[in-house]
Amino acid sequence: MSNGLLKGKKGIIFGALNSQSIAWKVAEKAHEQGAEIVLTNAPIAMRMGEIKELGEKIGATIIPADATSIEDLENLITKSMEILGGKIDFILHSIGMSVNVRKGNHYTNENYDYTLKGLDISALSFHKVMQTAMKFDAMSEWGSIVALTYIASQRVFPDYNDMADNKSYLESVARSFGYHYGIKKHVRVNTISQSPTVTTAGSGVKGFDSFIDYADQMSPLGNASADDCANYTVTLFSDLTKYVTMQNLYHDGGYSNTGVTQKVIDKFGSAS
Ligand code: NAI
């Protein structure tokens, strides 16, 4: 259902890999709400081809960019302004990857080259995107920038490995850059801390199936879906949330404020 919440707005969406991707759902919903979009992903992800299907569906141009490469980002930002015919109203950063997780390295036995690579892709890239946008004065006044994060940035989830550190850094960048972008251009910057969700990146976490069930039972509303995350993201891109900035916003069915639920207590049975 469209309320035209993003009518006339133009945005760049990073990270749609396949139809499970959170970014994919955001692109569909933003389009449904009237936005014009440029899609981007790492050149290697393009080769899998699925993003083209999304581009056709929502009439979006696709520009490859490795989010760690300033050259690629400069090309993306300048070309997007040409294609969209003006400044950008919103950006979604939906990117995450840990090489240590992929290679099965334990948190206490990191390969630091991998750590730095993962940090660059998952967190520093957010700074790079915003610094490039600022350099080219690409954002509209009162524009909105959102990145996706996970609660392992704030509490220990042992198998989330070095992605936990990457997410802490990402959330900090949102606060710090949000300050400067707010003063300079009234641009707001937030992170959405999403429930565990079945996607390519999510399923890389060890024991993900049990983990997702646990989170579901620990959330009074249950786990939030990717579709609902996309709805929430759309509200942050809209003019209805103009004064929300520098926040880490939980979209998790209440998980983050729950100590325990009856469902989880019941799993342990009676103590007597
Ligand atoms: P996904 O695997 O569909 O998306 C990750 C994206 O990052 C892919 O499109 C991938 O191509 C892109 N990417 C990787 N390296 C890149 C690079 N160098 N340059 C540009 N793009 C690059 O998975 P998902 O779950 O949709 O992930 C999106 C965001 O949501 C990530 O930040 C993830 O950490 C976050 N998130 C995911 C949760 C989950 O359980 N799936 C929970 C909370 C947050």
Side-chain angles (χ1 to χ4, degrees), residues 14-18 20-24 40-46 65-69 93-97 102 117 120-122 125 147-151 160 163 167 170 192-203 205 208 211-212:
F14 287 80
L17 179 67
N18 54 38
Q20 287 185 314
S21 300
I22 297 169
W24 187 291
T40 181
N41 208 326
I44 190 156
M46 299 292 177
D66 176 343
T68 66
S69 156
H93 177 287
S94 186
I95 299 172
M97 210 272 289
R102 280 214 180 162
K117 181 79 187 153
D120 197 12
I121 293 173
S122 310
S125 64
L148 288 166
T149 187
Y150 183 60
I151 194 176
Y160 208 68
M163 273 306 283
K167 291 301 193 192
L170 180 86
I192 295 178
S193 188
Q194 163 67 6
S195 293
T197 315
V198 181
T199 62
T200 305
S203 310
V205 178
F208 190 71
F211 183 65
I212 206 167

Side-chain angles (χ1 to χ4, degrees), residues 5-16:
L5 269 183
L6 302 183
K7 196 158 180 273
K9 294 202 184 291
K10 307 164 199 300
I12 302 177
I13 295 186
F14 287 80

Side-chain angles (χ1 to χ4, degrees), residues 36-69:
E36 255 185 280
I37 293 159
V38 164
L39 294 169
T40 181
N41 208 326
I44 190 156
M46 299 292 177
R47 276 181 231 140
M48 296 179 204
E50 287 184 58
I51 193 173
K52 287 196 195 113
E53 200 185 293
L54 177 64
E56 278 160 24
K57 188 172 166 196
I58 65 169
T61 303
I62 302 164
I63 304 178
D66 176 343
T68 66
S69 156

